[in-house]
């Protein structure tokens, strides 16, 4: 069993739709990271959170430590949101367990 | 601040050869970590360096090695390349413990 499970693996949405990506983990953590990877490879760190909720623009990340679950929401989705979204939990230092990623395509 | 810089961006090598990849972290960041990304295995941790010392190591064979210099720049080396080493290699730097990672654009290695 993977330490980090993400769902769904693939997601296609119409522009403007509300999107939710889920991440469940089985290890104790200090914080969970959400990453975004665009075609071409570069990865951007979107959020690092250890409790509650964080918001940045149209992106919202929530975490429930007791249930070992986090969600990434995108409101009013746009084609430029098309990317792979990866959740990651630290193991030691900057050694992480990574989810397999959710490939999001937003259609105009 | 300049971001994390990885060179080269693309590399094509033949089985049996060796390769060296370079990563320059964000100024002031002392931690540099390396990751391999393949379609089948996703992102996997290779190793992390902090102040010129390897702090953590992932589950990769000894053909994969790295080092960090006094200016925090890091290199990773893969010897005796195999076809399965074809991947996107990403490095990331961070400042204080627990702070967000900043990734480079990666080096795409193709082994033929």
């Amino acid at each position: 069993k993977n330490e980090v499970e993400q769902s769904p693996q693939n997601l296609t949405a119409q522009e403007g739709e509300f999107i939710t990506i889920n991440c469940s983990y089985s290890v104790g953590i200090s914080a969970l990271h959400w990453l975004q990877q665009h075609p071409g490879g570069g990865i951007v760190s979107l959020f690092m959170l250890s409790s509650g909720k964080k918001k940045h623009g149209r992106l919202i990340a929530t975490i429930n430590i007791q249930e070992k679950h986090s969600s990434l929401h995108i409101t009013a989705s746009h084609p430029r949101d098309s990317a792979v979204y990866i959740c990651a939990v630290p193991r030691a230092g900057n050694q992480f367990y990574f989810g397999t990623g959710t490939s999001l395509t937003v259609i105009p | 601040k300049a971001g994390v810089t990885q060179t080269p961006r693309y590399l094509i090598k033949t089985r049996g050869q060796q390769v060296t990849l370079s990563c320059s972290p964000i100024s002031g960041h002392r931690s540099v970590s390396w990751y391999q990304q393949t379609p089948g295995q996703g992102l996997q941790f290779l190793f992390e360096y902090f102040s010129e010392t390897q702090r953590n190591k992932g589950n990769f064979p000894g053909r994969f090695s790295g080092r960090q210099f006094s200016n925090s720049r890091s290199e990773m080396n893969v010897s005796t390349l195999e076809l399965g080493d074809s991947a996107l290699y990403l490095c990331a730097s961070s400042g204080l413990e627990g702070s967000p990672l900043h990734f480079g654009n990666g080096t795409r290695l193709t082994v033929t």
Side-chain angles (χ1 to χ4, degrees), chain A residues 36-75:
Chain A
Q36 180 193 55
Q37 185 173 32
H38 279 284
I43 292 178
V44 174
S45 179
L46 295 174
F47 294 103
M48 184 177 74
L49 67 167
S50 54
S51 65
K53 179 167 83 172
K54 285 192 175 181
K55 185 175 188 292
H56 185 256
R58 295 179 294 103
L59 272 60
I60 303 166
T62 63
I63 190 167
N64 185 318
I65 296 291
Q66 287 73 30
E67 294 187 3
K68 295 189 174 179
H69 181 269
S70 176
S71 293
L72 176 67
H73 306 285
I74 304 175
T75 62

Side-chain angles (χ1 to χ4, degrees), chain B residues 31-78:
Chain B
S31 168
V32 174
S33 47
W34 289 89
Y35 305 86
Q36 181 197 64
Q37 187 178 37
T38 59
Q41 298 294 321
L43 268 168
Q44 294 185 285
F45 171 79
L46 279 157
F47 28 66
E48 179 196 5
Y49 286 88
F50 182 86
S51 294
E52 301 180 67
T53 301
Q54 189 179 83
R55 188 157 70 170
N56 291 297
K57 189 176 192 303
N59 189 25
F60 277 81
R63 301 185 296 107
F64 292 81
S65 62
R67 59 179 175 168
Q68 187 180 33
F69 302 96
S70 58
N71 61 358
S72 292
R73 189 178 71 87
S74 178
E75 289 181 347
M76 69 162 279
N77 184 278
V78 188

Side-chain angles (χ1 to χ4, degrees), chain A residues 9-104:
Chain A
Q9 278 197 320
N10 297 286
L11 186 54
T12 301
Q14 290 292 132
E15 183 173 357
E17 284 187 8
F18 180 85
I19 288 161
T20 296
I21 299 170
N22 295 300
C23 177
S24 297
Y25 54 92
S26 58
V27 295
I29 65 168
S30 55
L32 180 142
H33 297 243
W34 280 102
L35 311 173
Q36 180 193 55
Q37 185 173 32
H38 279 284
I43 292 178
V44 174
S45 179
L46 295 174
F47 294 103
M48 184 177 74
L49 67 167
S50 54
S51 65
K53 179 167 83 172
K54 285 192 175 181
K55 185 175 188 292
H56 185 256
R58 295 179 294 103
L59 272 60
I60 303 166
T62 63
I63 190 167
N64 185 318
I65 296 291
Q66 287 73 30
E67 294 187 3
K68 295 189 174 179
H69 181 269
S70 176
S71 293
L72 176 67
H73 306 285
I74 304 175
T75 62
S77 59
H78 190 276
R80 64 175 173 266
D81 297 326
S82 298
V84 176
Y85 294 84
I86 302 166
C87 72
V89 298
R91 179 178 179 179
N94 285 325
Q95 182 175 4
F96 286 85
Y97 294 113
F98 293 96
T100 52
T102 294
S103 180
L104 171 65

Side-chain angles (χ1 to χ4, degrees), chain B residues 76-90:
Chain B
M76 69 162 279
N77 184 278
V78 188
S79 62
T80 320
L81 284 165
E82 301 176 359
L83 294 178
D85 297 333
S86 294
L88 179 66
Y89 291 88
L90 291 150

